[in-house]
Amino acid sequence: QVDRTEVIRTCINPVFSKLFTVDFYFEEVQRLRFEVHDISSNHNGLKEADFLGGMECTLGQIVSQRKLSKSLLKQGNTAGKSSITVIAEELSGNDDYVELSFSARKLDDKDFFSKSDPFLEIFRMNDDATQQLVHRTEVVMNNLNPAWKTFKVSVNSLCSGDQDRRLKCIVWDWDSNGKHDFIGEFSSTFKEMRGAMEGRQVQWECINPKYKAKKKNYKNSGIVILNQCKIHKMHSFLDYIMGGCQIQFTVAIDFTASNGDPRNSCSLHYIHPYQPNEYLKALVAVGEICQDYDSDKMFPAFGFGARIPPEYKVSHDFAINFNEDNPECAGIQGVVEAYQSCLPKLQLYGPTNIAPIIQKVAKSASEETNTKEASQYFILLILTDGVITDMADTREAIVHASHLPMSVIIVGVGNADFSDMQMLDGDDGILRSPKGEPVLRDIVQFVPFRNFKHASPAALAKSVLAEVPNQVVDYYNGKGIKPKCVSEYESSRTLAP
């Protein structure tokens, strides 16, 4: 049990105020169960309570729909009239940053033979009364009316996400011996600085407390001006998912002869009556997670490297349901069934070419770019048993795809030498096309299935999907594409500009 809500007395349509905080991991299936109980008035223990119903779902289902309503099931899984609604919102994920541009005028002159050499420091006041330097500007030499360079700082480091946190700002006169002279200080908040947003300015008097105490007619030691404050919103993976971005999941399966005859129990494609082969294990492990983020649960599934009926020509991108107009299968189970029923009809052949299937998905992804919105991101899962034969074309296809809303996951099945594959996964150096063009972003994740042979399917999925959220965010943020519906959820987040 993670937590429980408050008790709401004598009410059959309760709205609970208690928030549950749960860590979210895209690469895991996080199963949740909600139970509703009726507690008798004199007793708050569950022993005496009546069970009103339960609901099970995954965290992925809740965040992809943002608001999930389901029937409450009673004992024996019978649905009554009651239902439960769960609403999700993201708590952290504030990676916004601010651009600030300061200048000053009529600063006190601290030097005998020339004018002051001012620089500005901004400190964040922490909860424990310590102060943390957030930014120090450059020094502007010999100038009592300096304009410092614009700088960027993350909202987290500026004020720890709290707009009302005190910021202490000090102006110094720089000295070559390191003993800088104090000119004056002022205090502000991020909330106040945001006043310099649409072409307005915010000004502060720069005060030297010593002078203020001593001099009767002391006004200030100069004026510091914030000329502009721009907020750059950095959206998180959940912003895009909750804004309605769908993950389109496509599978491609290797049907080359090196897999061995499917009728033979040594074949990687052997359909065992009791236990799934490596192709099926990998497909289900990854597919089970992706399916929560795809509203229609229809998955295109292709094969490559086989001769296919009726002409038995070699194809590197055929639909495994043999319906070229609609290669989609219903759910991961639909893909499993299409795979099992197509095996006896194929002639396993070769070579192992994966560029055609990458290009096929890239075509859909490039049509998606015309919408200029974050509505679909494509994940291509390639399951293959061997060394690929069209390496140059594959590199070219991946470099092209790195400009599109897509990621490629390759799972190596069996015991072949996969050293070539590691090169496609840009973790150890930048992948380039044969012409030398580098990938725009790292979109390929390669994993040999044998590393996970004795681990749970969850461990495999975790390894191949962990990079996907960052790949999605890098793509959309890099293109300056905001989440589709900037919802009431987002405006409730702190610091929405």
Side-chain angles (χ1 to χ4, degrees):
Q1 185 177 319
V2 178
D3 210 341
R4 63 170 70 170
T5 65
E6 74 278 19
V7 174
I8 295 183
R9 300 274 174 211
T10 53
C11 175
I12 58 168
N13 297 308
V15 175
F16 300 101
S17 65
K18 166 89 185 196
L19 295 175
F20 298 127
T21 307
V22 187
D23 290 331
F24 165 76
Y25 301 101
F26 168 75
E27 66 275 17
E28 292 177 17
V29 176
Q30 295 172 272
R31 299 190 194 285
L32 302 175
R33 177 171 172 80
F34 298 85
E35 289 189 356
V36 184
H37 296 264
D38 175 24
I39 276 172
S40 59
S41 54
N42 55 357
H43 202 286
N44 271 351
L46 282 190
K47 281 200 176 78
E48 312 275 312
D50 293 325
F51 174 65
L52 296 177
M55 181 273 275
E56 292 184 13
C57 65
T58 66
L59 187 53
Q61 286 167 331
I62 299 174
V63 298
S64 64
Q65 297 179 40
R66 236 182 49 234
K67 184 176 184 177
L68 178 74
S69 295
K70 285 181 88 168
S71 295
L72 282 171
L73 301 181
K74 296 202 163 160
Q75 250 100 18
N77 282 347
T78 53
K81 290 195 177 108
S82 42
S83 66
I84 181 169
T85 301
V86 184
I87 299 169
E89 71 173 72
E90 186 175 16
L91 286 179
S92 68
N94 199 333
D95 302 323
D96 302 351
Y97 65 93
V98 200
E99 216 172 295
L100 299 169
S101 173
F102 283 94
S103 62
R105 65 169 187 264
K106 294 188 178 164
L107 292 173
D108 282 358
D109 198 349
K110 295 285 182 185
D111 295 347
F112 290 118
F113 302 113
S114 61
K115 297 188 174 114
S116 296
D117 308 316
F119 67 93
L120 168 70
E121 290 184 327
I122 300 176
F123 294 87
R124 175 184 81 224
M125 306 307 285
N126 294 325
D127 295 335
D128 58 3
T130 58
Q131 49 187 40
Q132 170 71 41
L133 179 65
V134 174
H135 184 77
R136 177 185 291 124
T137 68
E138 76 286 7
V139 178
V140 177
M141 301 300 281
N142 197 19
N143 193 335
L144 300 180
N145 301 304
W148 292 289
K149 284 183 187 145
T150 301
F151 63 90
K152 289 176 181 168
V153 58
S154 79
V155 171
N156 276 336
S157 64
L158 181 64
C159 61
S160 312
D162 169 11
Q163 317 192 46
D164 295 310
R165 186 176 291 277
R166 300 300 315 157
L167 302 173
K168 183 177 175 183
C169 309
I170 305 177
V171 182
W172 299 91
D173 167 29
W174 178 83
D175 242 324
S176 55
N177 65 7
K179 294 178 178 166
H180 310 308
D181 296 318
F182 174 79
I183 294 180
E185 64 183 23
F186 62 93
S187 125
S188 182
T189 61
F190 177 44
K191 196 176 201 169
E192 198 176 355
M193 289 181 178
R194 291 177 57 162
M197 275 171 82
E198 285 108 23
R200 295 190 297 271
Q201 289 182 333
V202 182
Q203 302 190 357
W204 297 268
E205 286 189 285
C206 196
I207 301 295
N208 182 330
K210 273 190 192 159
Y211 291 178
K212 197 173 181 175
K214 280 186 193 162
K215 298 182 180 176
K216 267 205 176 121
N217 54 358
Y218 173 77
K219 271 195 180 156
N220 58 49
S221 296
I223 302 285
V224 174
I225 303 143
L226 175 57
N227 300 296
Q228 72 158 3
C229 166
K230 273 189 190 162
I231 297 178
H232 296 270
K233 206 147 181 48
M234 296 301 284
H235 296 288
S236 69
F237 175 67
L238 282 183
D239 285 337
Y240 288 105
I241 293 297
M242 290 175 157
C245 182
Q246 297 289 321
I247 300 281
Q248 296 293 344
F249 179 60
T250 302
V251 185
I253 299 171
D254 180 335
F255 290 108
T256 53
S258 51
N259 283 284
D261 183 340
R263 289 167 301 199
N264 181 332
S265 62
C266 302
S267 166
L268 292 167
H269 280 305
Y270 180 65
I271 300 295
H272 193 284
Y274 307 116
Q275 85 159 27
N277 62 34
E278 290 185 14
Y279 278 98
L280 285 173
K281 279 183 185 157
L283 162 67
V284 172
V286 178
E288 216 173 23
I289 287 163
C290 294
Q291 68 181 359
D292 280 345
Y293 302 90
D294 184 340
S295 58
D296 68 0
K297 309 272 181 282
M298 298 299 286
F299 305 117
F302 298 98
F304 57 92
R307 287 173 157 177
I308 57 168
E311 273 106 49
Y312 288 94
K313 279 202 183 108
V314 176
S315 169
H316 296 293
D317 56 356
F318 62 91
I320 62 172
N321 63 4
F322 299 123
N323 178 351
E324 291 305 325
D325 299 330
N326 183 11
E328 296 192 324
C329 306
I332 296 304
Q333 196 46 43
V335 180
V336 170
E337 286 160 13
Y339 162 75
Q340 290 174 333
S341 72
C342 83
L343 264 173
K345 300 169 189 156
L346 300 173
Q347 190 182 348
L348 272 54
Y349 208 69
T352 311
N353 291 355
I354 62 171
I357 194 70
I358 296 174
Q359 288 156 353
K360 196 176 199 115
V361 175
K363 189 168 179 282
S364 303
S366 68
E367 285 163 13
E368 173 59 24
T369 56
N370 301 333
T371 66
K372 300 274 189 293
E373 56 176 35
S375 49
Q376 294 187 9
Y377 189 92
F378 294 79
I379 294 180
L380 168 60
L381 172 65
I382 298 176
L383 306 170
T384 178
D385 82 316
V387 183
I388 51 182
T389 10
D390 61 342
M391 192 48 115
D393 289 348
T394 296
R395 278 165 45 203
E396 182 78 46
I398 289 169
V399 168
H400 169 65
S402 71
H403 293 261
L404 301 170
M406 73 179 272
S407 296
V408 180
I409 292 164
I410 304 174
V411 177
V413 173
N415 291 317
D417 171 12
F418 289 120
S419 48
D420 268 11
M421 295 296 203
Q422 304 288 1
M423 182 184 98
L424 297 177
D425 185 334
D427 291 348
D428 45 1
I430 290 175
L431 174 74
R432 292 176 183 273
S433 75
K435 297 189 194 98
E437 189 195 339
V439 283
L440 181 65
R441 45 193 196 94
D442 178 16
I443 61 162
V444 178
Q445 183 68 349
F446 170 74
V447 173
F449 188 86
R450 55 173 172 255
N451 296 1
F452 295 90
K453 225 173 183 150
H454 304 296
S456 67
L460 169 74
K462 200 170 173 169
S463 171
V464 295
L465 291 171
E467 291 182 22
V468 167
N470 285 341
Q471 290 172 350
V472 171
V473 168
D474 286 352
Y475 174 77
Y476 289 121
N477 272 334
K479 287 269 187 285
I481 296 174
K482 294 183 165 66
K484 223 169 45 161
C485 57
V486 178
S487 54
E488 58 283 20
Y489 143 77
E490 186 142 299
S491 56
S492 72
R493 238 175 62 186
T494 50
L495 300 177

